Amino acid sequence: MYPGTWAEEKPDALAVVMTGSGETRTWKQLDDRSNQLAQLWWAAGLRPRDHVALFTDNRAEFFDVAWAALRSSLYLTPVNRYLTAEEAAYIVNDCGATSIVVSDTLGEVAADLVARIPACPIRLVAGGPMDGYDRLEDAIAAQPAERLDRELQGDFMLYSSGTTGRPKGIKRPMVDEPMDAPDPFSMLLSLVWGFDGDTRYLSPAPLYHSAPCGFTLGTQRVGGTAVVMEKFDPEAALRAIEEHRITHSQWVPTMFTRMLKHPEDLRTKYDLSSHRVAIHAAAPCPVEVKRQMIDWWGPIIHEYYGGTELNGLTLVNSEDWLAHPGTVGRPVIGTIHICDDEGEEVPVGDPGLIYFEQEAMPFEYHHDPDKTKKAQHPHHPSWSKLGDVGYVDADGFLYLTDRKDFMIISGGVNIYPQEIEDALIVHPKVADVAVFGVPDEDLGEQVKAVVQLQAGTEPSPELEQELLAFAREHLAHYKCPRSVDFVDELPRLPTGKLYKRLLRDAYWGTKDSRIV
């Protein structure tokens, strides 16, 4: 199903609600506006498998643009709204977009982008006006709100976050399916988590990211309402659950941490009784944080592990997680293989690189066959990896250990930062933490912790020693940080992704290092 279906069945029901501005889209409005933009692109010469880009904050126009592309058999690339003009231009040019829609709230960055994307002549601005762009409202007003003669499903070409280098375009083969053909992802939402036409799904994260984008559009495919926060705020999120009678939601672990560290009277003042399913992903969740969330919200918390590449997927509910604390679940898409650096499978319980096996490689990295090849197993081309390290227990549950790129090798011993971060984050004075290796002439690397403190807490040598002692209470001494540095804010995206490379670069400088 898609907006055209629901516009016929329930034209005045809400497809989109923005929690901050209160702006909405009925199904008829969403259908009409996406039809008009699809008509504009067709009149401008765009054809199936062409590319368009979307560079905007969370706003209702996101869905107009997304559905216009998806009903036009186009590839759509949402661009991280926090990028600089130079960084955004790299993605727009790399994906080959001939049209882009930006938000007027991006101001100078969007204005500076114009000269950097000469091969993208169809430039539109939501809001506006802005030099170098036509107003989206004016442009679509001249177009008929009618379906294209032939509506085939488009797809997204999303880019990786670039936490370890240049972002990579993740391209899946497009299928010639009509818009009302069954959609595997929305079927998964319905079968696993009960999404349906009565669903009110809260999205507190940026829509340019794969999970919020996919889940909001998946909600709409089954006829539910996407309730979108312009920006995450712990109390505003709880208020939104009460005010909009949210049934389903999705989070990242940093959001859990920030909600848990609010005073108990604030956390318990809102009515969350409508809330039936809370999903989390995007980053590993510390065991104690998740246990506290289940104690608070009940056994409604579900987790999945997978990448934008969709090369595999694991799921776990609260009951199975409590029986296997720390797991990210068992596979529902793909078969898991845990392998060493040479590609040989390791025994059950031993950590290694995580590969998913499917019948064929389900993706490629756009314009980068070398990176595509590196994602494949050296002996089995249908096995692919995302770069994560983990292990599988005797019951088939997968556990993530860390990113391969973030592993610390100190004195020849492998140390995984995630375990250390999970221990430190529960300290009441810690708001966020990153752990990584820094140069050590004797050991090669030593463990460094960089900490963002809770509001109102001041850094001091005494606090550093308190945190080091806290780590030694919970971890083997060889894993413990040798020192702690304090920063005002860690470079973490609203999606939960941490730009750890930016922190490490300051310590490695120009030294010859394996860390990039």
Side-chain angles (χ1 to χ4, degrees), residues 41-64:
W41 280 332
W42 182 268
L46 274 72
R47 295 297 181 264
R49 293 178 173 77
D50 284 345
H51 292 251
V52 295
L54 178 57
F55 187 37
T56 180
D57 48 7
N58 282 10
R59 57 193 302 158
E61 288 90 346
F62 183 97
F63 298 96
D64 303 333

Side-chain angles (χ1 to χ4, degrees), residues 34 54 69 121 133 136-138 146 152 160 217-219 287 308 339:
S34 59
L54 178 57
Y133 298 89
L136 177 64
E137 287 288 335
D138 298 337
E146 299 173 359
L152 297 177
S160 64
L217 293 172
T219 298
V287 168
T308 304
C339 301

Side-chain angles (χ1 to χ4, degrees), residues 34 36 74 78 90 98 105 117 125 133 144 152 200 205 224 271 296 301 324 339 388 392 423 427 438-439 442 472 499:
S34 59
Q36 288 175 300
L74 299 175
Y90 166 78
T98 52
T105 53
I117 53 172
V125 58
Y133 298 89
L152 297 177
R200 299 181 68 82
D271 178 7
W296 177 17
I301 296 179
H324 301 80
C339 301
D388 293 317
V392 174
H427 190 284
V438 298
D442 180 35
R472 286 192 291 271
Y499 275 109

Side-chain angles (χ1 to χ4, degrees), residues 11 98 109 111 268 334 340 369 395 454 460 507:
T98 52
V109 175
T268 57
D340 60 24
D395 295 322
Q454 286 284 85
S460 67
Y507 294 90

Side-chain angles (χ1 to χ4, degrees), residues 27-46:
W27 284 110
K28 180 168 174 34
Q29 289 170 333
L30 180 57
D31 188 48
D32 285 350
R33 293 171 66 88
S34 59
N35 273 323
Q36 288 175 300
L37 182 53
Q39 293 283 357
L40 184 151
W41 280 332
W42 182 268
L46 274 72

Side-chain angles (χ1 to χ4, degrees), residues 408-412 437-447 508 511-515:
I408 302 166
I409 303 177
S410 183
V438 298
D440 184 284
E441 298 219 357
D442 180 35
L443 299 172
E445 293 181 82
Q446 65 171 257
V447 181
W508 287 89
K511 287 180 178 287
D512 183 17
S513 167
R514 64 182 178 82
I515 294 183

